[in-house]
Each structure stands twice: as C-alpha cells, then as structure tokens.
Amino acid sequence: MTARRSAGLLLYRHTEDGLEVLLGHMGGPFFAKRDAGAWTVPKGEYEPDEPAWDAARREFREELGLEPPDGEAVELGEVRQTNGKTVTAWAVEADLDPAAITPGTFVMEWPPKSGRTQEFPELDRVAWFGLDRGREVIVKAQAAFLDRLAEHSTGRGSAEP
C-alpha cells in the first residue's frame, strides 16, 4: 500500500500587523468544536502519477471553490503528520476574502454505525492568522510550513515548482 500524500497552497499576505496566512478549519463533526489542531493548509490527497504542484492547485480549487492565485510559489517542502500522511506545500502571496469561498464537500456515515450518510464541507471556514496564532491552531506538523515561510520572508531562498 502506498503512503498517503497531500499537497496544498498556503496563501500569505503582508499587513500592518505583520505576515498573515490563510488557513482552513476542517469540516465535519470531528472538528466542529475544536480550534487547536483543527486548522490546516488547504490541501488534499493525490495519486503518485499526479505532480504535487498540480495537485496543490487542483485541491485549492476543490476545497475553496476559487481559482488558485498566480504568483511566485515558495516551496515549503514536506512534513509528516502523526497519521502518517506526507504533506507537501507551497506558499503564494495573495489576498483573498474568506467570505468568497464556496467549499467542496465530502460524504460520510454520521452518526457512526447509523447507516445514514451526511454531507459536510471540506473546510467549514477560512481565516487569516498572524504566524503566532496560526502556530497555535494549525495541525501540529504543519506548523513547520509557517516557520519556513517566516524564514523565506526574511529574505532567504525561494523556488518555483
């Protein structure tokens, strides 16, 4: 069995208060009442034959219902989450109004063992966070992406896919 892989785009912007990132709150009943660890880079799984960059842009479109922004892509590398999934991310500078999203959905059996299915949004909301607050709410392993973006914004390396 192939290890699960996801790819995503982390939008960032410079404000009077400093660097901010756009994170999505995971939809569905498991995360409904959670804040810490329930926010993520907009991302999704992809098959081995699909380039990660293409998957990141496709998943942005599917999860937010918006076209991914153009611009320089800052390679943020990979992280391995506690569930074993490897996530690859790029950062792109852009401004986006969180109210403009139209999230994609998924279907799951809910309540468990009820035999009924319900549809839930992939991301039930998105919001801009300063880096410190973002580190408090993002999936733990993904905090490395925020650190790498902060390093980049101080003038260190970037790369386009």
Side-chain angles (χ1 to χ4, degrees):
M1 186 168 117
T2 306
R4 293 173 36 214
R5 302 186 63 80
S6 284
L9 293 181
L10 176 65
L11 297 192
Y12 69 97
R13 66 183 182 186
H14 296 276
T15 70
E16 291 177 4
D17 296 326
L19 193 61
E20 292 184 341
V21 293
L22 186 77
L23 301 177
H25 186 270
M26 292 181 272
F30 298 120
F31 300 99
K33 296 181 180 177
R34 290 183 50 198
D35 197 39
W39 292 81
T40 183
V41 171
K43 62 172 180 45
E45 292 187 17
Y46 64 99
E47 297 298 322
D49 62 341
E50 182 180 16
W53 171 247
D54 293 346
R57 293 180 57 81
R58 174 182 52 76
E59 287 294 333
F60 185 93
R61 193 176 303 109
E62 288 177 11
E63 294 218 344
L64 300 181
L66 300 170
E67 286 301 311
D70 292 324
E72 177 189 3
V74 178
E75 190 173 343
L76 300 176
E78 295 182 343
V79 298
R80 187 174 176 91
Q81 298 183 160
T82 56
N83 64 5
K85 182 185 291 185
T86 300
V87 180
T88 305
W90 288 266
V92 176
E93 187 170 8
D95 201 356
L96 180 148
D97 178 359
I101 73 158
T102 306
T105 59
F106 68 96
V107 175
M108 66 180 281
E109 182 180 16
W110 190 258
K113 301 179 182 175
S114 68
R116 293 183 307 197
T117 58
Q118 289 189 43
E119 188 174 49
F120 297 96
E122 294 275 353
L123 299 173
D124 57 23
R125 61 191 182 276
V126 297
W128 289 100
F129 291 92
L131 292 181
D132 289 342
R133 179 71 178 132
R135 284 184 192 95
E136 293 173 4
V137 298
I138 198 167
V139 171
K140 189 174 182 178
Q142 293 181 31
F145 294 142
L146 306 186
D147 296 338
R148 294 170 191 167
L149 178 60
E151 289 175 15
H152 167 77
S153 71
T154 61
R156 295 180 224 171
S158 69
E160 289 195 36

